[in-house]
């Protein structure tokens, strides 16, 4: 909720819909005035408008006012007819409006040119009976049915306007200056101001309204169109009740999330909510959402027509599509075979991403632009609103198809150090893929700078004071190109391959530590096996995703590694920090099932626990245990089934207590078996080393040596289900006896944790 704010209507129209372009806004206001004239009854005899609603100055738009006896879906046909007329009127009144919407064609090899065919048709449709599908998702948001949608479709061959559209009024020599209904930050009418805050419950008087879902009927006369999110430009939700409740807000946010999930070439989206007679337009991106203060479509008809006409005539980039992707926004769901080229404009990996210091993509103009053909998507975050929205592709160079790369895209918190700079510092660490190129593409702060913050309004009273003095989170779109790909741990073949990779992963973590970098997010997805394997696990394993990494000493590392002259000419404080305040080094960072036990234990403590190398090494152990447990399949003893359940719980205390049990209970991994049962010796040996060396500097090398010894043992004597050797058990008992004082020191606290009560 605190990521969604209302913006006064005039400010929203100017800043969000027109990007501050007042001449274009005034031009569209004139088009809206003429369009409104064409809807007045006295104009109808001379214009074939079919079923487009009339507009009367006293009663408003005919057929668009909700009535208790009328179901919501009964208004859809009238809305579709009106919106298509408005869209067609604006497109025929605007020069070259179709030029940006030429049908997608395969991009030319070696270029990212926007090859195109004939113009696509942007059309409003009644879609309330058609659940929209995804290209890559089979669950979660499936089944959503926006009431109306602005879609892209192939243009009708005959080139005639849609059945519900009519002819625009011929332009006069001297166009009438329209009333300035929305262009300034005017005061809202008393009727509109009542609806500025969000209602938590529906008005009880609405109970007599017909349920539009239960009595929905097919709209007659609508052509058969593919029900796919790929083809949606703007989804609409219509409600008979005037006020916006929590459920309705959640519904329109799901539409926005669906668009961002399906359309990877989109950086922001719009949704429209018409509740009763009130119209709201939402703008959604990875940092938050803005919604205009609602206005009455019957009292401000020209504003309504202007907003709808603007949405219908925006270019792909104005609707949020990123034109660095070939054919951005113009590939239909039926064109899955069309290739996508991505253009990367190199940027220097500067230490921090604070927007005030540099502009994106302008720092490295002397480097050649990189054009890549995107192949399969290897990873995609499932929550692209208000998150990093990470996506990863395998790609090949358009000028050298044999050159394979990995492209990672995400929206980074601009308060954090630049992930690209971590890769620059770690460029000699073999276990970290080499950064070929990176690009700073776009800042969300650039968008929010368009309107004055004192014009924004909280969407609910609860948000009025909460975090009022906090700087809002802003994000920057980053793209990275790496020189090699890896293989997921889910594709592991045997224990030997995993142990060989473990030796390399720990070598890599030690090397990163020597560079001053702590990874802080070692997880199942961030450790990769070599891309190819000869059956013995040879090749280079990888550590990826330095997005949450941290420098042990910011000043020292940046002074040593910051490239270029920008930082040598000024002091460190002036060049790097300035007014920028780095994000605090929080002690609990990472993916919960793989976070080190000590970090979980300190989660509720007031004292900070500095994330160190030994925590990252321990995370490797938890990753291997997870792989081993998953490798047992569904046929799992109760002990190991409970272990996996608790380690993957969303409750910190549950995970923490299970990890303590794994580290202290003797022979707990005995008989773990399964596909990776040969890891039993490593798992049991790690627990002993953890108790023996803890935070000591030799901990990482001791774990690395353990992995190497177990690897040699497996390769020299292939046993399907080895048990911990007597020597290993004796060494563990000897250590536990020698370390009895340390264990007792922890025991009282740990018994409290195991008690059946929640932490405060």
């Amino acid at each position: 909720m605190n990521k969604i704010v209302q913006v006064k209507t005039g400010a929203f129209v100017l800043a969000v819909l027109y990007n501050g372009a007042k001449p274009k806004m005034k031009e569209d206001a004139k088009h809206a005035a003429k369009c409104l004239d064409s809807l007045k009854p006295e104009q109808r005899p001379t214009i074939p408008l079919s079923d487009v609603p009339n507009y009367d100055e006293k009663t408003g738009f005919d057929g668009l006012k909700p009535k208790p006896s009328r179901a919501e879906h009964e208004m859809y046909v009238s809305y579709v007819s009106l919106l298509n007329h408005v869209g067609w009127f604006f497109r025929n009144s605007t020069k070259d409006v179709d030029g940006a919407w030429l049908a997608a064609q395969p991009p030319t090899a070696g270029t990212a040119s926007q090859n195109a065919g004939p113009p696509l048709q942007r059309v409003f449709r009644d879609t309330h009976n058609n659940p929209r599908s995804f290209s890559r998702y089979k669950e979660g948001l499936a089944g959503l049915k926006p009431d109306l949608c602005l879609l892209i479709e192939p243009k009708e061959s005959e080139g005639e306007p849609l059945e519900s559209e009519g002819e625009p009024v011929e332009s006069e020599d001297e166009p009438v200056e329209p009333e300035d209904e929305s262009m300034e930050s005017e005061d809202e009418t008393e009727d509109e101001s009542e609806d500025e805050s969000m209602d938590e419950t529906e008005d009880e008087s609405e109970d007599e309204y017909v349920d539009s879902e239960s009595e929905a009927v097919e709209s007659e006369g609508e052509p058969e169109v593919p029900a796919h999110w790929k083809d949606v430009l703007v989804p609409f939700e219509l409600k008979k009740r005037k006020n916006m409740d929590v459920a309705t807000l959640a519904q329109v946010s799901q539409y926005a999330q669906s668009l961002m999930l399906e359309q990877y070439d989109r950086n922001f989206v719009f949704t429209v909510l018409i509740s009763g007679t009130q119209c709201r337009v939402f703008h959604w991106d990875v940092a938050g959402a803005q919604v205009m203060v609602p206005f009455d479509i019957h009292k401000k008809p020209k504003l309504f027509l202007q907003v709808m006409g603007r949405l219908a005539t925006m270019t792909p980039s104005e609707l949020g599509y990123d034109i660095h992707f070939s054919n951005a926004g113009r590939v239909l769901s039926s064109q899955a075979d069309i290739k996508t080229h991505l253009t990367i404009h190199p940027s220097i990996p500067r230490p921090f991403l604070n927007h005030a210091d540099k502009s994106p993509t302008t720092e490295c103009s002397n480097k050649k632009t990189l054009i890549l053909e995107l192949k399969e998507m290897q990873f995609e975050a499932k929550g692209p609103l208000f998150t990093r929205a990470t996506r990863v592709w395998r790609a090949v160079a358009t000028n050298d198809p044999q050159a394979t790369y990995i492209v990672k895209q995400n929206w980074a918190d601009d308060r954090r150090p630049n992930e690209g700079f971590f890769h620059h510092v770690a460029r000699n660490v073999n276990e970290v893929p080499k950064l070929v190129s990176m690009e700073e593409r776009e800042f969300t702060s650039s968008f929010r700078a368009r309107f004055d913050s004192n014009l924004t309004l909280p969407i609910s009273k609860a948000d009025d004071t909460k975090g009022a003095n906090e700087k809002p989170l802003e994000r920057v779109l980053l793209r990275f190109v790496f020189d090699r790909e890896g293989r997921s741990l889910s594709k592991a073949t045997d224990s030997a391959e995993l142990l060989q990779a473990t030796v390399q992963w720990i070598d890599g973590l030690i090397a990163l530590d020597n560079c001053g970098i702590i990874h802080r997010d070692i997880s199942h997805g961030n450790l990769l096996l070599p891309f190819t394997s000869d059956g013995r696990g040879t090749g280079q394993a990888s550590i990826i995703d330095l997005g949450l990494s941290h420098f042990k000493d910011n000043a020292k590392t940046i002074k040593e590694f910051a490239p270029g002259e920008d930082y040598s000419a000024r002091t460190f404080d002036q060049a790097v920090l300035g007014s920028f305040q780095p994000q605090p080094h929080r002690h609990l960072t990472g993916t919960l099932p793989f976070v080190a036990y000590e970090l979980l234990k300190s989660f509720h403590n007031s004292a900070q626990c500095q994330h160190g190398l030994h925590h990252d090494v321990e995370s490797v152990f938890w990753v291997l245990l997870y792989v081993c447990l998953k490798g047992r399949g569904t046929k799992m003893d109760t002990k190991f089934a409970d272990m996996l359940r608790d380690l993957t719980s969303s409750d910190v205390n549950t995970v923490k207590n299970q990890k303590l049990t794994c580290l202290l209970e003797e022979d707990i991994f005995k008989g773990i078996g399964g596909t990776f049962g040969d890891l039993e010796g490593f798992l049991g040996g790690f627990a002993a080393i953890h108790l023996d060396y803890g935070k000591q500097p030799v901990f990482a090398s001791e774990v690395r040596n353990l992995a190497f010894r177990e690897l040699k043992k497996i390769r020299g004597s292939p046993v399907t289900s080895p048990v911990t050797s007597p020597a290993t058990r004796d060494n563990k008992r000897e250590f536990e006896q020698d370390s009895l004082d340390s264990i007792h020191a922890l025991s009282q606290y740990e018994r409290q944790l195991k008690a059946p009560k929640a932490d405060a």
Side-chain angles (χ1 to χ4, degrees):
M1 285 296 299
N2 59 354
K3 294 182 181 294
I4 304 175
V5 297
Q6 282 187 323
V7 179
K8 287 190 176 181
T9 310
F12 186 98
V13 171
L14 175 60
V16 181
L17 297 183
Y18 287 95
N19 194 14
K22 289 186 177 181
K24 174 60 176 173
M25 181 179 65
K26 291 182 178 180
E27 177 186 344
D28 280 358
K30 295 176 182 178
H31 296 330
K34 295 171 185 174
C35 184
L36 183 64
D37 286 341
S38 73
L39 299 174
K40 294 178 179 178
E42 57 268 24
Q43 296 287 344
R44 297 304 289 264
T46 60
I47 302 176
L49 289 178
S50 183
D51 54 353
V52 176
N54 287 334
Y55 176 77
D56 184 90
E57 292 183 357
K58 295 182 178 180
T59 60
F61 291 104
D62 182 37
L64 299 189
K65 285 192 174 182
K67 299 178 181 178
S69 59
R70 192 181 188 193
E72 285 177 356
H73 68 264
E74 293 177 0
M75 297 188 296
Y76 297 163
V77 172
S78 297
Y79 267 105
V80 167
S81 298
L82 174 62
L83 296 180
N84 276 324
H85 170 65
V86 174
W88 190 78
F89 192 106
F90 269 67
R91 285 191 292 272
N92 281 272
S93 303
T94 307
K95 293 181 179 179
D96 302 324
V97 71
D98 286 333
W101 288 100
L102 302 180
Q105 299 291 326
T108 304
T111 73
S113 61
Q114 301 282 322
N115 293 350
L120 292 168
Q121 176 174 270
R122 282 90 68 211
V123 58
F124 293 90
R125 298 287 188 196
D126 174 358
T127 57
H128 81 284
N129 273 324
N130 302 319
R132 310 206 76 78
S133 60
F134 295 90
S135 299
R136 302 175 300 280
Y137 294 89
K138 306 300 181 185
E139 56 185 22
L141 294 172
L144 290 176
K145 298 181 289 185
D147 294 331
L148 312 178
C149 283
L150 175 60
L151 303 172
I152 51 170
E153 300 175 0
K155 196 161 182 85
E156 295 182 357
S157 58
E158 65 272 17
E160 295 298 326
L162 297 176
E163 179 182 345
S164 59
E165 295 176 345
E167 299 288 338
V169 177
E170 292 295 330
S171 300
E172 301 173 3
D173 293 337
E174 295 294 331
V176 178
E177 186 69 23
E179 295 179 16
D180 196 7
E181 299 179 81
S182 66
M183 305 308 108
E184 304 297 335
S185 300
E186 77 288 7
D187 292 334
E188 302 299 324
T189 64
E190 180 179 352
D191 180 66
E192 293 160 356
S193 63
E194 294 175 358
D195 197 35
E196 289 184 4
S197 63
M198 184 184 64
D199 292 342
E200 299 294 331
T201 59
E202 299 180 11
D203 188 342
E204 294 181 358
S205 64
E206 307 288 335
D207 291 345
E208 61 181 328
Y209 289 165
V210 178
D211 185 349
S212 63
E213 294 295 329
S214 62
E215 297 191 17
V217 296
E218 291 283 351
S219 297
E220 297 180 1
E222 291 292 347
E224 198 71 30
V225 294
H228 201 287
W229 283 108
K230 183 76 171 177
D231 305 320
V232 178
L233 301 179
V234 182
F236 285 64
E237 183 65 19
L238 272 61
K239 298 292 184 185
K240 290 180 63 175
R241 56 183 179 273
K242 174 181 177 182
N243 297 326
M244 178 176 64
D245 57 19
V246 173
T248 301
L249 180 59
Q251 193 170 10
V252 293
S253 71
Q254 287 180 327
Y255 297 161
Q257 184 172 357
S258 298
L259 288 175
M260 297 285 276
L261 279 170
E262 174 63 33
Q263 301 177 14
Y264 59 78
D265 56 353
R266 203 158 185 182
N267 295 335
F268 61 84
V269 299
F270 294 101
T271 61
V272 177
L273 170 64
I274 299 177
S275 50
T277 62
Q278 303 284 314
C279 178
R280 295 173 174 87
V281 179
F282 292 78
H283 170 281
W284 305 84
D285 63 20
V286 294
Q290 300 74 39
V291 54
M292 64 163 56
V293 171
F295 65 91
D296 191 302
I297 67 173
H298 301 282
K299 295 180 179 178
K300 293 192 172 181
K302 282 184 283 188
L303 174 57
F304 178 63
L305 299 183
Q306 179 179 351
V307 169
M308 296 301 107
R310 174 60 176 162
L311 291 174
T313 55
M314 281 181 163
T315 65
S317 61
E318 290 169 339
L319 280 171
Y321 292 98
D322 188 337
I323 59 173
H324 282 201
F325 292 92
S326 60
N327 294 309
R330 297 180 288 110
V331 180
L332 302 174
S333 59
S334 59
Q335 297 175 303
D337 58 333
I338 288 188
K339 299 176 181 179
T340 298
H341 287 182
L342 174 63
T343 304
I344 303 291
H345 298 277
S347 303
I348 291 176
R350 56 198 178 107
F352 294 107
L353 298 168
N354 46 314
H355 192 185
D357 189 48
K358 296 282 181 181
S359 297
T361 70
T362 60
E363 302 179 15
C364 204
S365 57
N366 60 324
K367 285 193 175 183
K368 291 184 63 176
T369 297
L370 183 62
I371 303 174
L372 302 173
E373 180 185 326
L374 300 183
K375 297 295 187 177
E376 70 271 13
M377 188 177 290
Q378 297 191 332
F379 174 81
E380 187 169 30
K382 297 296 180 67
L385 289 181
F386 315 152
T387 68
R388 291 194 293 170
T390 303
R391 287 184 169 99
V392 179
W393 294 269
R394 186 173 70 86
V396 297
T398 56
N399 59 354
D400 182 8
Q402 301 304 313
T404 301
Y405 300 97
I406 293 297
V407 179
K408 174 184 176 180
Q409 169 182 292
N410 68 15
W411 288 85
D413 181 344
D414 71 354
R415 300 170 300 179
R416 283 198 48 75
N418 184 354
E419 182 178 352
F421 187 68
F422 284 110
H423 280 279
H424 172 71
V425 173
R427 60 189 180 274
N428 294 321
V429 177
N430 292 331
E431 291 74 18
V432 176
K434 299 300 180 289
L435 181 64
V436 176
S437 182
M438 75 158 290
E439 175 186 22
E440 293 180 34
R441 177 70 182 98
E442 183 172 331
F443 286 88
T444 58
S445 56
S446 298
F447 164 73
R448 283 159 186 78
R450 298 179 194 169
F451 47 86
D452 193 341
S453 60
N454 63 15
L455 296 179
T456 62
L457 300 169
I459 201 165
S460 67
K461 295 180 179 179
D463 293 326
D464 201 2
T465 57
K466 182 179 179 181
N469 298 322
E470 294 181 5
K471 180 183 176 181
L473 170 68
E474 299 292 358
R475 295 188 180 276
V476 54
L477 177 58
L478 302 178
R479 293 195 178 111
F480 306 97
V481 182
F482 298 108
D483 67 343
R484 70 169 184 260
E485 59 183 314
R487 207 164 90 258
S488 168
L489 295 185
S490 62
K491 304 295 179 62
T493 56
D494 54 33
S495 300
E497 182 180 37
L498 288 171
L499 288 170
Q500 176 66 55
T502 298
V503 172
Q504 296 182 358
W505 293 329
I506 296 178
D507 283 343
L509 291 173
I510 293 173
L512 285 173
D513 184 72
N514 291 336
C515 293
I517 298 174
I518 303 299
H519 189 284
R520 300 205 307 161
D521 191 19
I522 296 298
S523 65
H524 183 272
N526 289 339
L527 297 177
L528 298 180
L529 299 168
F531 179 64
T532 58
S533 174
D534 59 3
R536 295 181 61 84
T538 58
Q540 182 61 66
S542 301
I543 301 170
I544 63 171
D545 193 358
L546 303 182
L548 295 180
S549 296
H550 202 87
F551 290 121
K552 295 193 293 184
D553 186 333
N554 272 343
K556 177 182 177 182
T557 304
I558 293 174
K559 284 180 180 179
E560 181 178 357
F561 290 99
E565 301 179 357
D566 295 321
Y567 299 101
S568 60
R570 297 176 287 171
T571 66
F572 171 78
D573 288 341
Q574 291 173 330
V576 178
L577 296 182
S579 60
F580 171 80
Q581 295 298 322
Q583 211 173 11
H585 185 160
R586 296 179 293 180
H587 62 271
L588 186 59
T589 304
T591 307
L592 185 56
F594 314 112
V595 175
Y597 166 73
E598 184 186 25
L599 297 175
L600 297 181
K601 186 180 74 172
S602 63
F603 180 62
H604 293 295
N605 291 0
S606 57
Q608 292 277 324
C609 178
Q610 193 79 352
H611 199 131
L613 170 62
H614 58 290
H615 296 126
D616 283 346
V617 172
E618 183 184 331
S619 292
V620 175
F621 162 77
W622 296 118
V623 170
L624 290 180
L625 176 57
Y626 174 80
V627 172
C628 193
L629 291 171
K630 294 289 285 186
R632 290 181 58 93
T634 57
K635 297 179 180 179
M636 193 182 306
D637 297 341
T638 302
K639 178 178 76 170
F640 295 117
D642 291 346
M643 183 184 296
L644 178 61
R645 179 200 63 209
D646 290 349
L647 287 174
T648 55
S649 169
S650 60
D651 178 70
V652 173
N653 282 331
T654 299
V655 178
K656 174 180 58 179
N657 292 337
Q658 181 59 62
K659 289 187 174 183
L660 177 65
T661 301
C662 290
L663 293 172
L664 290 182
E665 187 173 317
E666 186 175 351
D667 293 338
I668 190 171
F669 303 116
K670 185 175 181 179
I672 194 168
T675 304
F676 306 106
D678 287 345
L679 291 177
E680 182 179 322
F682 174 81
L683 299 175
F686 176 89
I689 292 175
H690 186 273
L691 290 170
D692 197 358
Y693 295 101
K695 304 177 184 178
Q696 297 181 34
V698 297
F699 174 70
S701 60
E702 287 293 326
V703 176
R704 188 246 187 225
N705 292 339
L706 170 66
F708 187 71
R709 290 195 303 270
E710 290 296 321
L711 176 63
K712 290 178 63 178
K713 187 185 304 182
I714 293 173
R715 285 180 174 170
S717 178
V719 181
T720 56
S721 298
V723 296
T724 306
S725 67
T728 303
R729 293 196 295 268
D730 291 343
N731 290 339
K732 184 177 180 184
R733 292 194 186 97
E734 181 180 354
F735 162 72
E736 290 174 343
Q737 184 64 39
D738 293 341
S739 306
L740 193 58
D741 291 340
S742 298
I743 296 174
H744 284 321
L746 291 172
S747 62
Q748 183 177 2
Y749 174 72
E750 304 304 348
R751 282 196 296 271
Q752 293 175 355
L753 293 181
K754 290 187 176 183
K757 61 179 182 179
D759 285 356

